[in-house]
Structure formats: structure tokens, C-alpha cells
Amino acid sequence: MNEVKKTKYWNPYIGGIMLGLVLLSANFISGRGLGASGALKSVVVSTVNTIAPDHAENTTFYKNYNETHENPMKSWLVFQVFGVLVGGFLSGTFAKRLKFKVEHSPKISSKRRLIFALLGGALFGFGSQLGRGCTSGSALSGMAVLSLGGFITMACIFGTAFGLAYFFRKNWI
């Protein structure tokens, strides 16, 4: 018989405590909470500045952003997200779990899984811009400083996910 190798993961309660300590450290050291959507905005602005500088100079959003940010790529959020990517890669490498595969239900194809992941990511990114922050920035960091907006954001994120889970469950089970 084939023996299934059980993968060990961190206890989720310890992971939650560690996330809380990282959030506390970020507030203490930088005076700001965590967040990731601002890093993507910095990358987009830098890309537009490089590829289409005339467009960046004549568009209100890019013009205002460039006036208030000396160099978008020197934002601490860019370094934070880069660190998360490198840390995740190193963690997977050291734990021997780094594999290039698409996790999906046997009922759907890898292509469908990737399409839904990209659509979901794009919608979540768009929503994070409308809500002025992502789950980490608006919800976790907001809740950490007892902001009513942080609690509302988290309730909306999880409430929407719970409400839509019924319609998308066949992609997972």
C-alpha cells in the first residue's frame, strides 16, 4: 500500500500570534501597519512612468501620485511585498514543499482554476483600491488600532466570501 506522507504545518493559533507580533512590530518600527495593495500601485505607477511618461504627466492620478511620492519603488510596501515573496519561496524550499503545480478539484481543469484565480485576484485588487486598502492594510491593521472601518472591512470581506462560497464551491470540492 502507498503510504501518504503527512505534511506538518504550523499550528494556526501560533501563526495568528506570530502575525499579530509582526503587525505590532510594523506599527512600532514604522508607525504604520501592514498592507500589500499599495505596493502594486507603486509598481503600476513606476511602469507607466517608464513606458508612457507623457501619459503619466497628463493624467491626474499619476501626476498627483508622482508629486507626493519621490520614487514609487522606494516605498516600504514594495520592500515588504518583495520580502513576503522571497520569504515564501525560501520557506517552501527549506521545507521541501516547493513545487510548480496547480492545486484544484478533480472536477475542474488547471486552466479553469487559473482563470478563476486570476479573475478573483483582479476583483480583489480592484476592491482594495475602492476600499483604500487590502485585507492586511485595511482590515488587520485597522482592527489592530481599533478602527471601526477595519472591523467593517473585515466583516464585509468574510461576509462576501461566505455568501459567494456556495456558488463557487464546485471549483474546490
Side-chain angles (χ1 to χ4, degrees), residues 111-142:
K111 181 180 176 183
R112 180 178 168 130
R113 169 66 179 106
L114 290 173
I115 289 170
F116 272 89
L118 288 171
L119 286 173
L123 287 172
F124 199 85
F126 180 69
S128 74
Q129 292 307 302
L130 289 178
R132 301 200 62 190
C134 60
T135 311
S136 303
S138 191
L140 288 178
S141 296

Side-chain angles (χ1 to χ4, degrees), residues 143-155:
M143 289 174 60
V145 295
L146 302 178
S147 164
L148 178 61
F151 286 95
I152 292 170
T153 300
M154 187 65 87

Side-chain angles (χ1 to χ4, degrees), residues 41-118:
K41 189 185 299 184
S42 294
V43 170
V44 168
V45 169
S46 292
T47 303
V48 171
N49 286 343
T50 303
I51 295 173
D54 292 334
H55 177 69
E57 289 176 15
N58 298 320
T59 305
T60 306
F61 170 77
Y62 296 112
K63 191 175 182 178
N64 290 342
Y65 194 91
N66 286 323
E67 287 173 1
T68 58
H69 297 78
E70 184 180 326
N71 181 349
M73 292 305 286
K74 287 189 178 178
S75 166
W76 73 278
L77 291 173
V78 173
F79 292 102
Q80 173 196 312
V81 170
F82 181 72
V84 167
L85 292 172
V86 170
F89 181 79
L90 291 175
S91 172
T93 301
F94 292 140
K96 296 183 171 103
R97 291 192 312 237
L98 187 63
K99 295 178 182 119
F100 294 101
K101 66 178 186 173
V102 178
E103 297 282 350
H104 61 86
S105 163
K107 296 179 183 178
I108 67 166
S109 67
S110 294
K111 181 180 176 183
R112 180 178 168 130
R113 169 66 179 106
L114 290 173
I115 289 170
F116 272 89
L118 288 171

